[in-house]
Amino acid sequence: MEENARNDFFRGLNVEYAEFHRQAYEYKRNKEAQILSGIEGSIVDYYNEINKHDDDSEKLDGISFVFESSQQSYRVQLNIQNEQVDAFVRLSEGHLKSLGLSILLALAKKKNSQFIVFDDVVNAIDTEHRSNIINTFLTDPYIKKTQKIITTHDKLFWELYSNRQRSLGNGEFKSFVLNCYPHGIHYEEKDISFEGKITESLECYDIRQALIYCRIWFESLASQHCVDSGLSVTASFTSRDFQKPNMIKISLEKMYAVLIESLGTRLENVNYIKSNFLSWASQNQEHHAFSEHNYNIVHSKTSQEIQMIFDSIRRFEIQLSPQKKLASLVATLSALETKISSCDNKIQRATQATPADVMRQWNNERLKYLREKSKIEELKDYCENCLL
């Protein structure tokens, strides 16, 4: 009897578990359908924005999630130029990453999430698509208002994001690096703006690196000014100018010629940069790699000379948009005052138990902020003169 009762119990338990599993599975399926419902349009929009420079044959016209009962999983079906294809068959690893990110963004948008963590989001994605991801993060009406924590091992992505965020000025932004010390791990706030990188290079007397960042920054300012001003160029077609289907790249030499013409008589900064930094005629080299042919290295041997070139580029940036830059400089001065005060407080609270390397770090940070404050005050005066 006792054995029969035990067997009846297990049979009943098996029936109840099967019913519980059925209900749980039904709830899961309904919840998944609810989550995926209505996000297809946003997924397509985000995916096409991230891949906006791809050929039309690579872009999405639609997407659907098809549940396969036999596999108890979803297949992602894409509509590309009226053809239904399986995402895992058609897309490369990089495009699958872009699709996954697009689904995440669409889900966050549907839930109106105010906080998103992106962990190494650009892994396996090439440089051009990384740039498009940055633009999406910073310009999309929903995402740009969302608080984001972004981690990455990619230094270039980190620098591109930091500088583009700075140029757009979309809310508060901070950048940190984790460093290991003998007594543990510390996070350090880093200024990854072009000014910050150039200043850091000059502090280490790394003239070559400072020159590279000076060129990239000046080229970026010039390009943005040409776009914002709606400038145009006339050029001859050559096969080497074709970069991708339907895209022709303007040479730097042509761009700089149009830039100078647009500035009228306000050429003091550009003329200094031109005569002391750039070999103007050789600016058709379309990359940022270091080359003696693109820099007047013979005439720029000392860090002081590079500092003067750097200051001219800073004034050139102010010259292009003094009203906007004045607000930025005022905000920067306020932030520097806060940082200096924070360093003072940490130094004052230090005890004999405070590690020597940490004390050096705090003192060095304080001195760096004081030097930067002095320079920003000079630029603020120049900016105010430009507005007179």
Side-chain angles (χ1 to χ4, degrees):
M1 285 294 295
E2 186 175 333
E3 183 177 350
N4 290 336
R6 185 166 56 250
N7 290 336
D8 289 341
F9 169 77
F10 284 125
R11 278 192 289 269
L13 183 62
N14 186 54
V15 170
E16 292 296 328
Y17 178 79
E19 177 61 18
F20 171 76
H21 182 272
R22 186 193 66 77
Q23 292 182 15
Y25 181 73
E26 183 178 346
Y27 174 82
K28 172 179 175 290
R29 286 279 292 108
N30 291 335
K31 197 67 177 177
E32 289 171 345
Q34 180 184 347
I35 291 172
L36 295 174
S37 174
I39 66 172
E40 295 87 352
S42 294
I43 295 172
V44 170
D45 291 341
Y46 283 129
Y47 182 87
N48 288 340
E49 181 63 24
I50 293 171
N51 299 279
K52 63 182 177 181
H53 294 127
D54 289 3
D55 189 75
D56 288 343
S57 63
E58 300 287 340
K59 296 180 181 177
L60 302 186
D61 298 315
I63 185 172
S64 59
F65 300 92
V66 180
F67 184 77
E68 293 186 351
S69 300
S70 60
Q71 301 293 326
Q72 295 191 5
S73 63
Y74 286 88
R75 302 302 297 177
V76 182
Q77 295 291 327
L78 308 177
N79 182 356
I80 301 178
Q81 296 186 329
N82 296 322
E83 180 185 359
Q84 295 293 324
V85 296
D86 189 305
F88 293 93
V89 174
R90 177 67 174 266
L91 301 184
S92 65
E93 181 183 2
H95 282 99
L96 283 173
K97 288 274 189 177
S98 298
L99 181 62
L101 175 60
S102 301
I103 295 172
L104 169 67
L105 295 176
L107 285 169
K109 183 178 180 180
K110 179 181 178 179
K111 294 181 177 181
N112 195 28
S113 300
Q114 302 301 303
F115 181 84
I116 308 176
V117 178
F118 299 96
D119 182 21
D120 220 0
V121 71
V122 295
N123 185 32
I125 297 177
D126 63 33
T127 302
E128 184 177 54
H129 291 87
R130 293 180 185 199
S131 180
N132 293 341
I133 288 173
I134 293 172
N135 284 338
T136 301
F137 281 6
L138 297 179
T139 62
D140 179 79
Y142 161 68
I143 303 173
K144 71 179 183 180
K145 296 186 297 184
T146 305
Q147 184 177 2
K148 297 174 285 292
I149 293 180
I150 304 172
T151 66
T152 183
H153 294 91
D154 189 281
K155 185 177 180 182
L156 179 59
F157 173 76
W158 175 41
E159 293 178 352
L160 283 173
Y161 188 98
S162 299
N163 281 288
R164 209 161 294 173
Q165 163 73 29
R166 174 182 170 277
S167 67
L168 291 174
N170 290 344
E172 185 179 357
F173 174 77
K174 291 189 177 183
S175 182
F176 299 93
V177 173
L178 294 178
N179 284 324
C180 296
Y181 291 98
H183 55 276
I185 297 176
H186 285 251
Y187 69 89
E188 298 178 16
E189 187 172 353
K190 287 286 186 178
D191 179 6
I192 308 301
S193 66
F194 287 119
E195 293 108 313
K197 297 298 292 184
I198 296 166
T199 299
E200 184 179 305
S201 299
L202 289 172
E203 288 175 350
C204 301
Y205 300 99
D206 188 346
I207 293 175
R208 170 173 168 164
Q209 191 71 10
L211 281 168
I212 291 173
Y213 280 112
C214 278
R215 176 191 166 172
I216 298 173
W217 185 28
F218 179 69
E219 181 182 321
S220 300
L221 290 173
S223 300
Q224 192 61 52
H225 171 72
C226 291
V227 171
D228 293 343
S229 302
L231 303 181
S232 59
V233 298
T234 302
S236 300
F237 289 91
T238 61
S239 59
R240 72 181 182 85
D241 289 326
F242 286 90
Q243 304 294 316
K244 281 180 175 286
N246 302 321
M247 292 181 64
I248 301 176
K249 194 168 185 180
I250 299 172
S251 72
L252 298 179
E253 186 178 359
K254 288 279 188 181
M255 182 182 70
Y256 289 145
V258 172
L259 168 71
I260 290 176
E261 184 178 353
S262 74
L263 294 175
T265 59
R266 303 176 301 155
L267 298 176
E268 66 278 3
N269 294 310
V270 170
N271 282 338
Y272 187 86
I273 296 166
K274 178 179 177 180
S275 61
N276 291 280
F277 176 42
L278 299 172
S279 176
W280 218 251
S282 63
Q283 285 305 302
N284 58 355
Q285 180 176 325
E286 305 299 339
H287 58 74
H288 301 307
F290 175 78
S291 167
E292 281 82 2
H293 297 296
N294 286 318
Y295 301 97
N296 291 332
I297 299 300
V298 174
H299 305 295
S300 302
K301 291 182 177 179
T302 69
S303 59
Q304 182 58 39
E305 289 170 320
I306 306 301
Q307 181 67 54
M308 294 173 68
I309 294 168
F310 176 34
D311 291 342
S312 293
I313 299 176
R314 294 176 107 173
R315 289 193 296 270
F316 172 72
E317 181 189 29
I318 291 172
Q319 177 187 338
L320 295 181
S321 183
Q323 192 69 54
K324 178 181 178 181
K325 191 61 182 174
L326 180 59
S328 174
L329 291 169
V330 170
T332 300
L333 281 173
S334 176
L336 286 170
E337 290 284 2
T338 301
K339 291 177 179 179
I340 292 169
S341 177
S342 175
C343 288
D344 289 339
N345 290 336
K346 287 189 287 188
I347 292 170
Q348 290 172 5
R349 293 199 306 267
T351 65
Q352 291 184 344
T354 304
D357 55 344
V358 172
M359 284 297 298
R360 281 194 300 271
Q361 176 188 330
W362 291 344
N363 281 295
N364 288 339
E365 285 180 353
R366 182 179 183 278
L367 290 174
K368 182 183 74 172
Y369 295 145
L370 287 171
R371 289 194 298 269
E372 190 175 346
K373 178 186 174 185
S374 176
K375 179 58 66 176
I376 296 298
E377 287 173 339
E378 291 179 16
L379 294 173
K380 179 173 173 287
D381 291 340
Y382 176 81
C383 187
E384 289 171 341
N385 288 332
C386 288
L387 291 168
L388 295 178

